[in-house]
Amino acid sequence: MKIIAGNWKMNGTRTTLSEMVSALQSVESENTVVLCVPYTMLGIDGGRISLGAQDVSRHTHGAFTGEVSASMIADTGAKYVIVGHSERRQYHNETNSIVREKAAAALANGLIPIICVGETMDEKQAGKTMAVIESGVRESVPNDVNTDIIIAYEPRWAIGAGLTPTEAEIAEAHTLIAKTLAEMGLGGTPVLYGASVKGSNAAEIMSIPNVDGVLVGGASLKPDDFIPIITSVK
Ligand code: PGA
């Protein structure tokens, strides 16, 4: 069983989400399917699909105009929240330590954080991929985690670019993440791969050791693109 998570980013409407949710109800799959959508679309009945947010405030409440707390997300019935997505790191200057605070806020409110790590093209070219991934995991995961978390490895240069690392590169990254999590006492934590996943490469990517599922951006927006990913693996 794999975890197939969609990240709608700043796309869609409540109507397109309802259409997606109904299209997915009849899909035969034992995989866990999650859709992380803009806050305004949370609260609809997902049926067998779990919903999640794409970001969360690290604060609990108060004078933080425009922010949404983990308890508010949980209040909609959502179960998941993406934290530290590369677009948040890039456009909103989120560092590992901010991501860690956000993940802790999620956990404190019963949400499962999907904690993203991954290298930029500059870091890759400088030979820093493994170091960035390992410090990303060590510094972005809160201490004393005793409930579910998910890690997503997303090579930042490959997101939305139609590029994917080689199978060997994905395997190396996921092996390092699994080993790092085991050293942190978090062995068995699911690790997703994300960046330019589509129906035609999903099965191959999910056959790589230590790849427990995928985080899908563009190809999660339409049932015709998303369903083949969900059904690509048992
Ligand atoms: P992509 O996005 O599938 O469109 O590359 C992945 C992500 O940003 O989570």
Side-chain angles (χ1 to χ4, degrees), residues 109-141:
N109 288 279
L111 297 172
I112 300 175
I114 303 174
I115 303 172
C116 301
V117 299
E119 78 286 2
T120 62
M121 185 50 103
D122 282 353
E123 289 162 343
K124 178 179 169 61
Q125 285 172 341
K128 293 187 186 152
T129 299
M130 293 296 126
V132 169
I133 293 173
E134 181 167 352
S135 59
V137 173
R138 290 196 188 276
E139 295 168 18
S140 303
V141 173

Side-chain angles (χ1 to χ4, degrees), residues 7 9 85-87 154 158-161 194-197 215-219:
N7 171 13
K9 307 192 178 184
H85 187 275
S86 71
E87 287 147 20
E154 297 205 303
I159 292 176
S196 299
V197 174
L215 179 55
V216 186

Side-chain angles (χ1 to χ4, degrees), residues 34-52:
V34 182
L35 281 172
C36 295
V37 295
Y39 295 127
T40 53
M41 297 173 210
L42 294 175
I44 76 155
D45 179 0
R48 54 192 290 244
I49 310 305
S50 297
L51 296 184

Side-chain angles (χ1 to χ4, degrees), residues 38-144:
Y39 295 127
T40 53
M41 297 173 210
L42 294 175
I44 76 155
D45 179 0
R48 54 192 290 244
I49 310 305
S50 297
L51 296 184
Q54 303 170 1
D55 182 34
V56 61
S57 177
R58 58 194 157 131
H59 305 291
T60 55
H61 64 279
F64 300 101
T65 302
E67 295 212 27
V68 175
S69 72
S71 64
M72 293 169 182
I73 293 170
D75 187 44
T76 69
K79 299 267 179 289
Y80 295 82
V81 60
I82 297 173
V83 291
H85 187 275
S86 71
E87 287 147 20
R88 302 293 314 174
R89 292 178 185 263
Q90 180 176 352
Y91 304 129
H92 301 273
N93 301 320
E94 291 190 10
T95 58
N96 287 339
S97 80
I98 291 173
V99 173
R100 180 193 185 105
E101 284 185 66
K102 291 187 169 197
L107 288 168
N109 288 279
L111 297 172
I112 300 175
I114 303 174
I115 303 172
C116 301
V117 299
E119 78 286 2
T120 62
M121 185 50 103
D122 282 353
E123 289 162 343
K124 178 179 169 61
Q125 285 172 341
K128 293 187 186 152
T129 299
M130 293 296 126
V132 169
I133 293 173
E134 181 167 352
S135 59
V137 173
R138 290 196 188 276
E139 295 168 18
S140 303
V141 173
N143 291 331
D144 304 326

